[in-house]
Amino acid sequence: MDKQKTGELIKSARIKKGYTQVELGDLLGVTNKAISRWEKGDSFPDIGVIEELSRILDIRIQDIVIGEIKEKNTDSETAVTEVVRVAKLQDRVKKRELITGIVAVIIVGYMLMCGWYSFRGHIDSSGMYYLGISLAVILVVVFLKERLIGADPNRENADKRIYNIIGFGSMAYSFIMMIIVTGIFNNHEIQSWKIDGNIGRIINVQLIIIFILNLALLIIQNYVSMRKYEGETGRAYSLIGACFTSMMYSWLLHTLTDIHSFNKYMIIIAAIVIIELLAVYIIRFCVTNHRQVS
């Protein structure tokens, strides 16, 4: 089975019949985006629609599966084998999507819960460590899920780079914002810093915006990756890091006592996030290289 060849065959047959992607999708009961993914070789038609696709485009099922038009007397055993292989592959993809969807819902739900308590100041003095451990656990879960579903660690695309730029940019903005404010205020104006002071409220609102933006992008990236790469999820760990950076800095605003401790914990929080992200990237790099060597 060659998804690229099958896609080219479907496209040429569709054009020959004079159908647009929308029209063919309507006839098959699927979206035009599904047709587009087939033709680009990003995915393969579901076994349930292959028969109808064969009838509409007037090409044999085995030709669709193999990806090229064979002579009538071609041994059908190859086609049958390919159909069985495609069925097994699509079954794995559906299981992958189910696992990915469940894990994604759990992660997003947990992050929303952490955000709710963090930004409202309902986490005690040990909140930084709690959030730091939570970040590590989520990064590990995402990495293990990536290994479990057999995602390709070398898959790179422009979208992923954009997400990473936004994630790391959000973390940098949060840290720089804290540095600038510490340079302006001193111990005598400590009340302005606190969450019930003007500066504290302004900073906290910005941290909430950073959290919502990165969490929304994380959801979008995972959805797009699942649709485009058959159940694989996006791997922009930086978006997760940005969410937890904003939560930990909000915790710091709520538990602030003096400027000196603020400066210390501001650096500790940045170090925790950077070290954990570096660790997961290094492990992923080592696993990728080991897989390529073996």
Side-chain angles (χ1 to χ4, degrees), residues 168-205:
F168 284 115
S170 297
M171 285 185 277
Y173 176 80
S174 299
F175 185 65
I176 292 172
M177 177 173 59
M178 295 293 180
I179 292 177
I180 291 176
V181 178
T182 54
I184 296 175
F185 293 91
N186 54 49
N187 282 313
H188 297 292
E189 295 165 315
I190 190 68
Q191 291 301 323
S192 297
W193 279 82
K194 293 185 177 180
I195 201 64
D196 56 351
N198 292 330
I199 300 301
R201 283 197 296 267
I202 292 172
I203 296 174
N204 200 50
V205 168

Side-chain angles (χ1 to χ4, degrees), residues 146-175:
E146 175 186 328
R147 295 276 294 161
L148 176 64
I149 66 175
D152 182 5
N154 293 314
R155 195 190 297 280
E156 298 289 342
N157 52 73
D159 291 340
K160 180 183 172 184
R161 287 192 289 271
I162 292 173
Y163 291 128
N164 276 326
I165 289 172
I166 294 174
F168 284 115
S170 297
M171 285 185 277
Y173 176 80
S174 299
F175 185 65

Side-chain angles (χ1 to χ4, degrees), residues 40-57:
K40 291 178 180 178
D42 289 334
S43 63
F44 194 86
D46 190 84
I47 290 295
V49 302
I50 286 184
E51 184 177 358
E52 186 67 8
L53 181 64
S54 169
R55 185 189 65 79
I56 293 172
L57 297 182

Side-chain angles (χ1 to χ4, degrees), residues 70-84:
K70 296 286 188 179
E71 296 180 2
K72 293 287 185 180
N73 60 359
T74 301
D75 188 359
S76 61
E77 185 177 347
T78 302
V80 173
T81 302
E82 285 295 320
V83 170
V84 172

